Amino acid sequence: MRNRQATQLISELSHSGRRAAEFPQSDVPNRPLDEMIPRSFQGSTLPKLPEMAEPDVVRHFVNLSTLNMSVDTHFYPLGSCTMKYNPKRHERLARLPGIVDVHPHQPAKNLQGLLELLFDMQQMLAEISGLPAVSLQPAAGAHGELTALFVAAAYFRERGETRTKVIFPASAHGTNPASAAMAGFECIELKGTRSVPGEHGGTGGFVDLEELKRHVDNQTAVFMVTNPNTLGLFEKEIAQAAQIVHDAGGLVYIDGANMNAIMGITRPGDFGGDMMHYNVHKTFTGPHGAGGPGSGPICVRDYLGKYLPGPVIQRTTSPAGENRYEFAIPEKTIGRVRSFFGNVGILVRGYCYLRTLGPAGVRAAAEQAILNANYLKELLADVLPSANGKHCLHEFVASAEQLAKSSGITAMDIAKRLLDFGFHPPTVYFPLVVPQAMMFEPTETESKATLDAFSQAIHQIIQEDAELLHQAPHTAPVSRPEEVNATRKPVLTWPKA
Ligand SMILES: *Cc1c(COP(=O)(O)O)cnc(C)c1O
């Protein structure tokens, strides 16, 4: 049943004469409007405000606030997005007066507490990535990618090189080619995937080193790769891939959106990455969705640190052992990419997360995320098989292709019908390399009971009448937009490799 009251506009709920408050009689003379506000400032008509009683106003907005799904209201296995639970304790800590009441123009000497926190955050991010130089400025993962590509461009410029190409696998997140194009590079997509024998069952889905070799040359600026990749598989030959790029003088960028699978277990800096971004709002529990706010710090090798956007936070220790924190501008900085020093509110939440878990807890969270994903993968294997091997890391990509062929039920149908069952759908039709892709990422914060209930819902859905599913969702306030054509081919193109 559609929620009628919540979908009515507030103007439709207005009743002439209704008020949420009653004011005392005015004890000053009533003056004509023109005497108080010059005609030219009044506009052509006065705004027509809705007239409502307080309970109606409250109900209207509270109802609106419940129309969308969130991690706080529903299971949200949106692959690649790491929609893990956001601990409420972090909200309280991020609202401490020493954090919310500071002004970004205050001098560093009056911000020592906050700067110590941000400095420690830089250190922890450097430790987890294995890359020592950190900028907290970028406001999201995609912004981190763009920033790092500017850093790479500055590095090559100083070496007198004009490298023009950025290479990435076909499974790359759309932001990778978008960032490369925005930074002025030519985008080269690796189409082939490779089978790697071993625990993944010898199926495809990995970067093909031979194909990489064919494309890498002295024009290669950066190889951008997500590891674990967007199929939820660890690129086992990442070190060899990095070697190929390094031998040609290029840099390796690790898209860190999937750090939830490897944090505390292995480090991009140890397997060949020269630069990476974090998505603090994904991996370290910043509440996200609905467009932000995000935080996408980047970590780079020591020799790239001098190009980072400034200011970065620096610590000096006096002979007496006293620490002082200051803003520092890296020597050859690419300049600012954001006002002040980053999305501090999200960085503080990430800091609280890392401090709460500690090194052992961070690793345990990754391991639990992997366990949960493999458990769900197994539960769904009979109806939504995944082509890429027996085990996954923190997420997996299943395919509804068989189902679509046998009964006409598409990934989009299942996704939309899940809304009626009170579950947020998984990511669908990404990555593009899997037909009828459904990408599930349960995260470590879900219980076995939730995963069981979710699997049961999917098993129930695929038994339903296909026509009913094509029209789903049936209970959501807004129905399926007509332009969504579940079988459309990707329309993206970029210059041929
Ligand atoms: C989310 C994501 C990004 C982009 O990060 P934003 O913080 O949304 O800008 C990049 N790559 C991958 C693999 C992602 O999942």
Side-chain angles (χ1 to χ4, degrees), residues 80-81 140-142 145 173 175-176 226 230 255 257 277 279 281-282:
S80 211
C81 296
E145 294 168 23
H173 193 267
T175 52
N176 293 183
T226 311
T230 59
D255 177 330
H277 75 257
N279 305 67
H281 45 292
K282 294 179 182 175

Side-chain angles (χ1 to χ4, degrees), residues 210-232:
E210 292 309 313
E211 194 190 5
L212 180 65
K213 265 186 216 157
R214 277 197 300 281
H215 287 291
V216 169
D217 57 21
N218 63 5
Q219 285 307 297
T220 303
V222 180
F223 173 50
M224 293 181 92
V225 60
T226 311
N227 197 22
N229 65 27
T230 59
L231 291 164

Side-chain angles (χ1 to χ4, degrees), residues 222-463:
V222 180
F223 173 50
M224 293 181 92
V225 60
T226 311
N227 197 22
N229 65 27
T230 59
L231 291 164
L233 307 176
F234 190 83
E235 295 277 357
K236 283 195 222 180
E237 297 177 327
I238 187 73
Q240 291 95 308
Q243 193 61 48
I244 293 168
V245 178
H246 289 151
D247 285 349
L251 296 173
V252 175
Y253 183 85
I254 303 294
D255 177 330
N258 291 343
M259 283 303 284
N260 211 45
I262 58 169
M263 56 183 184
I265 300 173
T266 182
R267 311 191 303 171
D270 297 344
F271 56 66
D274 303 305
M275 314 184 282
M276 70 163 282
H277 75 257
Y278 284 97
N279 305 67
V280 175
H281 45 292
K282 294 179 182 175
T283 315
F284 307 136
T285 75
H288 63 129
S295 174
I298 57 170
C299 302
V300 300
R301 291 216 182 274
D302 48 3
Y303 62 87
L304 297 171
K306 61 180 169 190
Y307 307 105
L308 285 175
V312 295
I313 322 294
Q314 230 170 37
R315 181 171 73 190
T316 49
T317 307
S318 74
E322 258 175 41
N323 287 332
R324 217 170 43 146
Y325 298 91
E326 297 166 305
F327 294 118
I329 304 293
E331 184 197 338
K332 306 234 156 133
T333 182
I334 58 164
R336 278 182 180 282
V337 296
R338 195 192 179 282
S339 55
F340 306 113
F341 26 99
N343 266 347
V344 170
I346 296 299
L347 291 166
V348 171
R349 287 168 177 84
Y351 172 90
C352 294
Y353 182 73
L354 292 174
R355 279 276 188 238
T356 305
L357 264 60
V362 163
R363 185 184 174 114
E367 288 170 347
Q368 184 66 44
I370 295 169
L371 186 61
N372 274 4
N374 279 285
Y375 180 68
L376 185 61
K377 183 175 189 291
E378 213 45 50
L379 287 180
L380 297 177
D382 59 332
V383 288
L384 292 171
S386 340
N388 300 102
K390 195 161 162 43
H391 300 300
C392 62
L393 288 187
H394 67 305
E395 65 191 0
F396 61 96
V397 181
S399 172
E401 196 183 24
Q402 285 174 13
L403 208 58
K405 283 191 182 136
S406 62
S407 58
I409 298 172
T410 64
M412 184 62 80
D413 293 337
I414 300 171
K416 295 297 179 193
R417 185 62 174 149
L418 275 168
L419 295 166
D420 295 332
F421 280 73
F423 293 108
H424 193 283
T427 298
V428 291
Y429 303 121
F430 175 76
L432 306 177
V433 291
V434 175
Q436 293 292 326
M438 302 188 81
M439 183 192 220
F440 298 90
E441 181 181 7
T443 83
E444 71 278 14
T445 56
E446 297 303 327
S447 66
K448 177 173 177 294
T450 300
L451 302 182
D452 289 340
F454 181 71
S455 161
Q456 207 169 21
I458 290 197
H459 281 86
Q460 201 174 326
I461 287 170
I462 59 164
Q463 298 298 326

Side-chain angles (χ1 to χ4, degrees), residues 47-83:
K48 199 166 169 298
L49 297 176
E51 298 175 74
M52 297 174 79
E54 182 170 323
D56 299 328
V57 176
V58 170
R59 278 177 203 153
H60 178 70
F61 286 107
V62 172
N63 279 325
L64 282 184
S65 77
T66 62
L67 293 189
N68 218 341
M69 285 185 163
S70 70
V71 175
D72 284 354
T73 57
H74 297 87
F75 177 44
Y76 209 126
L78 192 66
S80 211
C81 296
T82 312
M83 304 299 289

